[in-house]
Amino acid sequence: MPFNFPILLTWLRVALIPLVVGVFYLPDLWLSPFEKGLASTTIFIVAAVTDWFDGFLARRWNQTSSFGAFLDPVADKLMVAGALLVLVQLDRVNAVIAFVIIGREITISALREWMALIGASKSVAVSSLGKIKTAAQMIAIPMLLYYDMLFGMIDTKLLGSWLLLIAAILTVWSMFYYLRKAWPLIKETTDKMG
């Protein structure tokens, strides 16, 4: 297993995931509900910044590795799934929306693994649609963790809910986009096998 600074940042992101969730389980005597939301939001944003930063540094310093390529998306998916599950428990996100987003991540991960096995991983490379979905999701989640007025004028409850709904719609759209691109190759491979 290679070890360098970008991979260290990815491991840091993995370590921050339990904190994003766990802060809500602290006693109210330690942190008020508002402080819990603020702390969780801050931790999530720090984790999200490490996501951008580790990839940037790995490319810039030519420290990309197959292990880093594996760990990075796993850390991202764990971070999003953990945050969504706690938001469902706090009744800030509908369970159906969380299921759609998490289910899509599992489906596309499995699809990418299958496509890599048949040597066609480029056909399911990240699209601009996937990037827009991720951006909407990564803005919505900290807003819903914060769940209060921001600067006295931005209703993070409302804006976060709308952005997550948009992310869920884009999630389904991008899943079908990837499946449609991969389907001819999957069909060709299964025809040869069976």
Side-chain angles (χ1 to χ4, degrees):
M1 180 180 76
F3 192 77
N4 53 41
F5 189 67
I7 286 177
L8 176 65
L9 286 176
T10 307
W11 277 118
L12 174 65
R13 187 157 76 258
V14 172
L16 289 174
I17 296 163
L19 295 178
V20 170
V21 175
V23 74
F24 287 104
Y25 295 94
L26 294 173
D28 286 347
L29 289 171
W30 293 10
L31 289 176
S32 70
F34 171 77
E35 290 168 332
K36 290 176 185 179
L38 180 61
S40 184
T41 302
T42 304
I43 296 164
F44 187 90
I45 290 170
V46 167
V49 169
T50 68
D51 179 26
W52 176 83
F53 211 52
D54 64 8
F56 171 78
L57 290 178
R59 288 185 297 275
R60 178 126 185 177
W61 295 346
N62 198 24
Q63 293 183 343
T64 56
S65 66
S66 54
F67 180 75
F70 155 76
L71 186 62
D72 186 64
V74 169
D76 296 346
K77 286 162 183 49
L78 285 173
M79 186 172 75
V80 168
L84 285 174
L85 288 173
V86 81
L87 288 170
V88 167
Q89 185 166 359
L90 293 167
D91 204 23
R92 297 179 186 180
V93 169
N94 185 293
V96 173
I97 289 176
F99 173 76
V100 164
I101 292 171
I102 294 169
R104 180 265 190 198
E105 295 301 339
I106 293 167
T107 303
I108 297 305
S109 292
L111 177 66
R112 285 194 171 120
E113 190 174 326
W114 172 260
M115 296 308 280
L117 281 172
I118 63 171
S121 55
K122 286 187 180 176
S123 66
V124 284
V126 176
S127 70
S128 56
L129 186 61
K131 289 178 181 175
I132 294 166
K133 180 271 306 178
T134 300
Q137 190 173 274
M138 297 306 262
I139 295 168
I141 289 172
M143 286 187 164
L144 292 168
L145 290 169
Y146 184 70
Y147 215 63
D148 208 328
M149 292 300 287
L150 186 62
F151 310 123
M153 55 184 177
I154 300 171
D155 185 351
T156 62
K157 299 174 190 179
L158 183 64
L159 188 55
S161 296
W162 276 107
L163 279 171
L164 199 64
L165 180 61
I166 290 166
I169 292 166
L170 291 174
T171 287
V172 173
W173 188 1
S174 66
M175 182 178 72
F176 283 116
Y177 168 81
Y178 289 127
L179 289 170
R180 195 182 79 233
K181 281 189 76 174
W183 183 250
L185 292 163
I186 293 170
K187 190 172 183 324
E188 181 185 321
T189 306
T190 53
D191 286 350
K192 285 178 186 174
M193 291 166 69

